Amino acid sequence: MPTPSLAALPIRRLTPRDLTACADLSEDRGWPREEHKWQFLLTAGRGYGIDDPDGGLVSACVVTEYGPRERPELGAIGMVLVAERHARRGIGRRFMRHIVDSMGTTPLTLHATPNGRPLYEELGFKVTGRAEMLRGYFTPGPSVPSIATRAATAEDLSTIVRLDEEVFGADRTHIVARLPAFADQLRVAEENGRIIGYTGAWPNMDTHVVGPLIARDTETAKALIASLAAHTDRPLRTDIDVRHEELLAWAKEHGLASVAFNSVMTYGISELPGDWTRRFAPLTVAAG
């Protein structure tokens, strides 16, 4: 149980000014600092944290909401961290209860590690899926994808927003609009002049993370990944819905290796909205 002093510490909203403290907390728990991702999440979402009287943060997380601002249709919880010196004292449980309660009737989702899953189950989250993290240098094959891809332009953004909402199941304009500045690459797949998929590659430490990855079908997803790989010398990293078995097998054949599995969990809904058959990978598991 937490000491009375820790239990009484207030939970406050974080801002981009807390970026260094959030990165320090990540490092404290053995995670990469991921300052680029933290900056994005603290701007696009709502951060929550508990200040440590001795400096830094006791705990932190970010909630990214989707849909109408006045009545969000989905909230994604991510980057849930408790400082090592305060771990196993009930802080995380109290912190997460506060976050869930503050979201009211908004359905929630998160990606849980095996260590975090028991706490989320205790709070009422249910496992509704799995994602497999892959990482490695992409090795091109002898066959060239037949689906045309190209760099996205400013004129494509409105079409991308509409396609994204159709597949994701909720409006993510505030996320998509930030992608040109956040990602090093933003590419689309086309057929007869019509956009049938899009993806981005954003820098995270020494890798390029592939996400979001939305595509009409598996062949389109393959073409988009291959096009990103052709324009970077970094290893790729991505989190693919395990139901996309063909894409996972193909990615492994081309140099990406399995790193970990996360449980996709939901609260207040039995499954995620949208069309999973065209939703291959998230922007980041921290944002759903």
Side-chain angles (χ1 to χ4, degrees), residues 14 22 25-26 31 34 37-38 40-42 44-49 57 59-66 74-82 92 95-96 99-100 103 107-113 116 120 125 262-263 265 282-288:
L14 300 178
C22 290
L25 184 58
S26 290
W31 290 18
E34 298 186 307
K37 181 168 76 172
W38 271 112
F40 181 90
L41 293 170
L42 289 171
R46 290 188 289 125
Y48 294 89
L57 291 169
S59 186
C61 82
V62 178
V63 179
T64 309
E65 295 178 328
Y66 303 109
L74 183 68
I77 300 174
M79 307 302 282
V80 180
L81 288 163
V82 177
F95 187 58
M96 284 302 302
I99 302 304
V100 171
M103 295 301 294
L108 304 174
T109 184
L110 55 80
H111 283 66
T113 64
Y120 302 129
F125 284 82
N262 286 325
S263 297
M265 307 187 77
L283 169 67
T284 165
V285 296

Side-chain angles (χ1 to χ4, degrees), residues 131-136 238 248 251-252 255-261:
E132 183 173 3
M133 180 189 293
L134 303 179
R135 186 187 188 280
T238 191
L248 283 166
K252 292 171 184 176
L256 276 63
S258 180
V259 175
F261 288 88

Side-chain angles (χ1 to χ4, degrees), residues 195-237:
I195 292 177
I196 58 173
Y198 86 97
T199 190
W202 51 272
N204 190 33
M205 312 307 289
D206 65 333
T207 68
H208 266 129
V209 178
V210 176
L213 177 54
I214 282 177
R216 179 186 62 185
D217 50 34
T218 301
E219 291 306 309
T220 305
K222 291 177 183 178
L224 285 166
I225 292 175
S227 70
L228 293 176
H231 293 85
T232 180
D233 57 2
R234 296 188 186 191
L236 300 182
R237 202 189 87 195

Side-chain angles (χ1 to χ4, degrees), residues 93-164:
R93 182 174 293 101
R94 174 208 163 203
F95 187 58
M96 284 302 302
R97 286 193 187 280
H98 173 87
I99 302 304
V100 171
D101 289 346
S102 72
M103 295 301 294
T105 59
T106 301
L108 304 174
T109 184
L110 55 80
H111 283 66
T113 64
N115 287 337
R117 177 175 162 178
L119 170 60
Y120 302 129
E121 288 179 326
E122 180 183 322
L123 294 171
F125 284 82
K126 306 294 184 184
V127 174
T128 55
R130 294 177 80 211
E132 183 173 3
M133 180 189 293
L134 303 179
R135 186 187 188 280
Y137 286 97
F138 183 88
T139 305
S143 60
V144 178
S146 59
I147 295 169
T149 64
R150 61 170 174 81
T153 67
E155 289 72 26
D156 296 322
L157 281 179
S158 60
T159 301
I160 291 173
V161 165
R162 289 194 298 271
L163 174 63
D164 186 87

